[in-house]
Amino acid sequence: MNEEVTTALETINSVNNEFFYWVSIALMMLIHAGFLFYEGGASRVKNVLAAAMKNLLTLAVVIPSFFFVGWFLYNAMPTGLPELNDAAKAALPWSENMGPNIQDPASGIFWGAFALFAATTGSIMSGALIERIRISAFLILTAILGSVVWIIAAAWGWHGGGWMLTELGLHDVGAAGCVHLIAAAFTLGVLINLGPRIGRFVDGRARAIVPHNLPMTMLGLMLIFVGFFGFLMGCAIYGGEGYTTIFGTPMNLSAFAFNTLMGLAGGILGAYLSSKGEPFWTISGGLAGVISVASGLDLYHPAVAFVVATVGGASLPVVAKLLEKVKIDDAVGAIPVHGVCGAWSLVAVGIFASGFPNVTGPDPSLGGQVVAMLVFAALGFIPGYLISLALKAFGILRVPPDAEHFGLDATELPSLPYPEGIPPTAGRNGNGNGGMGAPVGGAVMDRSDI
Amino acid sequence: MDTIPIDDWEGASQYFTFGADSFGVWLFLALAVIAFLTVIVRAITHEGRSYKEIHESNITAPIAMEPEGPPPASEPAAMA
């Protein structure tokens, strides 16, 4: 092959590589559009804009903080503690690689994809905390989760030289552990200190605070499904000549297509079955299904993926009930969807895919997957609990009760979501559960309303 | 202001304003961090003042927010 042809092929590969991750980043923006709708719909009318703004601001604080410290941590910490190796030096925000550079078409595009992963961890946390967390406290927590905590997990477990790969043989190709589980564990720590919304538990009994706009929530989840295809693109290493996993093992997008779609379907059906057709849980089951199969997306037969996802989807209402019993108010089911299904995803690889050959480190095993799962859970929970405890001690974690009663939109934001009201929807017993005739504070429902 | 680190595109690598590891880059990084932290601090103070105004004005919600009696948690209650 002559030199001109070689140069042309290298150029094409480089352009393809950049464009691949550029599309991944663009699609991942839909995850954030989806979370915005999802949480806005799940909020009561008095808190819709605050929920939406929280999601918008997640992007705005995580992206710069990930530029300042996040990318450096990823490159500095694969062996455990920070090391100022060449990759870490290149990731410092004043280095020649962290800005426009003709000779480096990779740093920016990989940093961008990881920044969107980072923002996703913040969005996962966001929904669980709606309607009572101060926006400022959320911004502090999301910057720390998105730019420090999860990226340490990624360096350890989602890096070609990460110690979880080289020592444990971890296989988590779709980031179920280092994105979903760690974000949910961090969120659980925050929820313990934040406490439930006023009215969520009365006289020791759980009360439903229902979404003000369930179709909006469902649209949000559909957007998240679309965005997840971008997320999973970012989980593949594309060098212009084919794909590998982030662990260096061969793969292709065809494998991802089989198992992502079968996982989506299995999760929806599992949740549909276990929730008796409850729409919120049913559509959340799709996300739970994709997360449940994420760790082994490249390895499973599609039927295995379907069953693994069905189990994950079916677990959602059960886990939510358990959380209710211990008075944890997870407003959108982030712990069941991202935490439990993220953990299940890691363990399922240990059960169904142990022994696949690894390129670096031992082959995946059930023991290695379980240890990795516990490390991710602890790495998320401990900082989430301690940092939110500190914010609580300073009195800046939660809004005061009168502001919570009045609504965060009216107290924190100079705007109204529906100045002309929204159409009421009558329940079977004639009670509206939203709209102009409904309480501004939103509906709290009895079974007879449904 | 001379912010350009290259004289020619031929053979250039990094070419962003001020150039890598320069005083200009450090200055703007510092300004960016300050702007970032200012937003957080401003949000905290804004919220504190807003909550205080709500509290001191004795404004009550237009309609009672919370239910009078506690109906039992239902299946979708788990979702909340």
Side-chain angles (χ1 to χ4, degrees):
Chain A
M1 198 181 299
N2 68 39
E3 193 174 330
E4 283 184 7
V5 174
T6 304
T7 304
L9 283 175
E10 286 174 356
T11 304
I12 290 169
N13 284 343
S14 175
V15 171
N16 284 347
N17 175 266
E18 281 192 278
F19 188 69
F20 180 82
Y21 290 105
W22 180 267
V23 172
S24 166
I25 292 169
L27 286 172
M28 275 197 275
M29 290 298 288
L30 283 178
I31 292 177
H32 299 280
F35 272 114
L36 191 152
F37 275 85
Y38 174 52
E39 293 169 28
S43 299
R44 287 166 288 183
V45 170
K46 62 182 179 178
N47 297 316
V48 175
L49 287 178
M53 287 294 286
K54 210 150 47 66
N55 272 279
L56 185 64
L57 292 170
T58 295
L59 282 169
V61 298
V62 171
I63 290 171
S65 56
F66 194 78
F67 182 83
F68 298 147
V69 298
W71 192 231
F72 167 76
L73 291 175
Y74 179 70
N75 286 283
M77 295 191 67
T79 57
L81 297 173
E83 276 177 21
L84 201 56
N85 53 43
D86 288 344
K89 287 177 188 170
L92 287 166
W94 51 85
S95 87
E96 63 182 37
N97 300 87
M98 292 300 283
N101 186 325
I102 293 167
Q103 307 298 330
D104 180 5
S107 291
I109 212 76
F110 280 111
W111 168 81
F114 271 74
L116 267 290
F117 290 136
T120 300
T121 63
S123 292
I124 289 168
M125 174 174 65
S126 173
L129 314 177
I130 55 172
E131 304 199 303
R132 76 281 206 198
I133 193 166
R134 289 173 68 143
I135 289 179
S136 58
F138 172 76
L139 297 182
I140 293 168
L141 289 164
T142 200
I144 293 169
L145 171 60
S147 296
V148 180
V149 175
W150 99 271
I151 199 65
I152 292 174
W156 289 358
W158 212 52
H159 185 291
W163 71 265
M164 285 187 175
L165 171 64
T166 58
E167 303 297 324
L168 302 175
L170 170 67
H171 195 88
D172 182 22
V173 70
C178 75
V179 169
H180 298 281
L181 172 56
I182 199 158
F186 188 97
T187 301
L188 180 61
V190 177
L191 283 171
I192 290 170
N193 288 312
L194 184 64
R197 290 167 288 180
I198 294 172
R200 181 68 175 90
F201 298 100
V202 178
D203 298 331
R205 298 180 65 185
R207 306 284 309 277
I209 300 176
V210 297
H212 93 281
N213 190 333
L214 192 52
M216 180 174 165
T217 293
M218 294 176 78
L219 171 64
L221 271 160
M222 291 300 290
L223 289 172
I224 292 172
F225 295 160
V226 178
F228 251 77
F229 284 85
F231 182 100
L232 294 172
M233 284 175 78
C235 295
I237 303 298
Y238 177 64
E241 297 175 331
Y243 304 93
T244 68
T245 67
I246 206 155
F247 310 112
T249 52
M251 60 151 284
N252 52 44
L253 292 184
S254 196
F256 274 24
F258 274 128
N259 290 329
T260 305
L261 291 172
M262 289 295 271
L264 177 73
I268 290 171
L269 291 181
Y272 181 72
L273 186 68
S274 66
S275 72
K276 301 182 178 74
E278 202 286 310
F280 180 92
W281 283 129
T282 300
I283 195 162
S284 295
L287 192 52
V290 174
I291 294 166
S292 295
V293 300
S295 294
L297 272 180
D298 56 327
L299 304 177
Y300 293 141
H301 183 274
V304 174
F306 184 81
V307 172
V308 168
T310 303
V311 171
S315 74
L316 299 185
V318 179
V319 176
K321 276 288 180 193
L322 292 174
L323 287 173
E324 271 190 354
K325 285 189 189 302
V326 293
K327 305 287 188 293
I328 298 286
D329 180 14
D330 174 3
V332 296
I335 308 299
V337 172
H338 300 275
V340 172
C341 290
W344 164 231
S345 192
L346 290 168
V347 173
V349 164
I351 296 171
F352 300 111
S354 284
F356 269 95
N358 240 337
V359 172
T360 308
D363 297 340
S365 65
L366 179 58
Q369 295 292 113
V370 169
V371 171
M373 182 262 286
L374 294 173
V375 171
F376 283 137
L379 185 60
F381 179 81
I382 293 169
Y385 180 82
L386 293 178
I387 296 164
S388 59
L389 185 66
L391 293 172
K392 185 179 181 181
F394 284 109
I396 55 172
L397 179 64
R398 182 169 179 145
V399 303
D402 44 4
E404 187 176 341
H405 276 293
F406 201 72
L408 304 190
D409 290 0
T411 51
E412 294 205 19
L413 304 170
S415 190
L416 294 170
Y418 305 110
E420 295 179 56
I422 55 176
T425 303
R428 285 184 190 170
N429 65 359
N431 292 338
N433 63 1
M436 296 168 73
V440 174
V444 178
M445 295 184 72
D446 190 342
R447 185 70 180 163
S448 60
D449 288 322
I450 300 165
Chain B
M1 185 184 291
D2 182 11
T3 67
I4 304 162
I6 59 171
D7 299 319
D8 196 330
W9 288 108
E10 188 68 33
S13 57
Q14 55 94 7
Y15 61 92
F16 48 83
T17 45
F18 298 108
D21 202 8
S22 61
F23 173 77
V25 162
W26 277 95
L27 174 67
F28 275 84
L29 271 172
L31 290 172
V33 171
I34 289 168
F36 177 85
L37 295 176
T38 299
V39 170
I40 304 284
V41 173
R42 183 81 178 89
I44 294 171
T45 56
H46 161 73
E47 287 170 342
R49 190 171 58 245
S50 179
Y51 300 147
K52 191 176 174 192
E53 284 173 4
I54 291 284
H55 185 70
E56 291 178 349
S57 65
N58 290 321
I59 297 173
T60 54
I63 299 172
M65 302 302 170
E66 308 308 332
E68 292 298 323
S74 52
E75 288 298 324
M79 165 266 290

